[in-house]
Amino acid sequence: MSDDVHLLNEPFMLRNGAHAVLRAIRPNDRARLQAAFLALDAESVYSRYFSYKRELNEADLDRLCNPDFHERVVLVVTQQTGAGEIIVGSGGYVMQPTTDGTRAAEVAFAVEEDVQGQGISRKLLAVLTEIARADGIERFDAEVLTRNAAMLHVFEHSGLAVQRHPDEAGVVRLSLSLASTSPGAASR
């Protein structure tokens, strides 16, 4: 699958019955991604970036909208509105060096508040897991604010074996094994 990730375009339904599309980000998504970022409330921005960032700068947009789909993968969830296609969620991973030779990547998500709880992060994680496995990645690492119970729930109920590292300064570090497991096999 990893050679065709840039072609990914998968319609699906949110829990509330609304239609959405999960697809690979494209270079022409810069304005949509910036608009999605600007639509996030300050707490959602802080939950994703661990700081109160006002906007995505040009370097952020370059990095996010032009992934190589091997070392860095970025997917978006979009919906159609009267004004056209909008991004309501995004997720991705970036390869990171390890000391033990394990192929690992850091994974992260951002979802617009009006559609949180509708299965977007769960769907993004499932598709990113499939892509990463096909590319030989063995583990996802994630840092999540201790107070972000919804995201912790997504990871802990993903069907992946989850190792939770000690909380540090309000941040939980998780390691998710990408070895095939059965649904519900997540550990805490």
Side-chain angles (χ1 to χ4, degrees):
M1 174 181 210
S2 63
D3 289 337
D4 295 331
V5 174
H6 67 284
L7 301 175
L8 180 66
N9 191 328
E10 181 181 322
F12 72 105
M13 194 151 316
L14 301 183
R15 287 187 184 131
N16 65 6
H19 294 275
V21 174
L22 185 148
R23 65 171 176 78
I25 199 157
R26 301 183 298 240
N28 68 356
D29 279 326
R30 291 173 76 88
R32 279 184 286 274
L33 190 61
Q34 185 72 275
F37 182 87
L38 294 173
L40 293 172
D41 71 23
E43 185 60 27
S44 290
V45 171
Y46 191 84
S47 290
R48 168 62 184 87
Y49 291 96
F50 296 2
S51 67
Y52 292 106
K53 191 176 177 89
R54 290 180 36 189
E55 66 181 5
L56 296 173
N57 62 36
E58 289 302 311
D60 293 331
L61 291 167
D62 287 342
R63 181 175 40 82
L64 292 169
C65 292
N66 297 292
D68 64 6
F69 293 105
H70 290 287
E71 297 289 314
R72 178 181 302 278
V73 172
V74 180
L75 305 178
V76 293
V77 173
T78 65
Q79 290 187 299
Q80 288 295 326
T81 69
E85 182 185 40
I86 61 168
I87 293 174
V88 296
S90 64
Y93 65 78
V94 60
M95 292 292 297
Q96 59 187 16
T98 62
T99 57
D100 64 2
T102 302
R103 294 202 65 215
E106 183 177 0
V107 65
F109 306 90
V111 176
E112 202 274 318
E113 295 81 19
D114 291 342
V115 291
Q116 287 179 0
Q118 297 301 313
I120 290 175
S121 292
R122 184 178 306 259
K123 177 74 170 174
L124 283 163
L125 180 58
V127 174
L128 289 167
T129 297
E130 183 181 339
I131 293 165
R133 284 177 174 158
D135 226 5
I137 296 172
E138 302 166 74
R139 183 183 79 224
F140 279 153
D141 294 323
E143 291 186 343
V144 182
L145 291 174
T146 305
R147 66 183 187 234
N148 191 347
M151 196 69 240
L152 290 169
H153 181 84
V154 168
F155 285 129
E156 291 172 346
H157 293 86
S158 65
L160 301 172
V162 178
Q163 181 180 5
R164 187 175 178 146
H165 305 282
D167 298 5
E168 296 178 22
V171 176
V172 178
R173 289 184 314 107
L174 303 173
S175 295
L176 295 86
S177 172
L178 300 189
S180 293
T181 60
S182 60
S187 64
R188 292 174 208 182

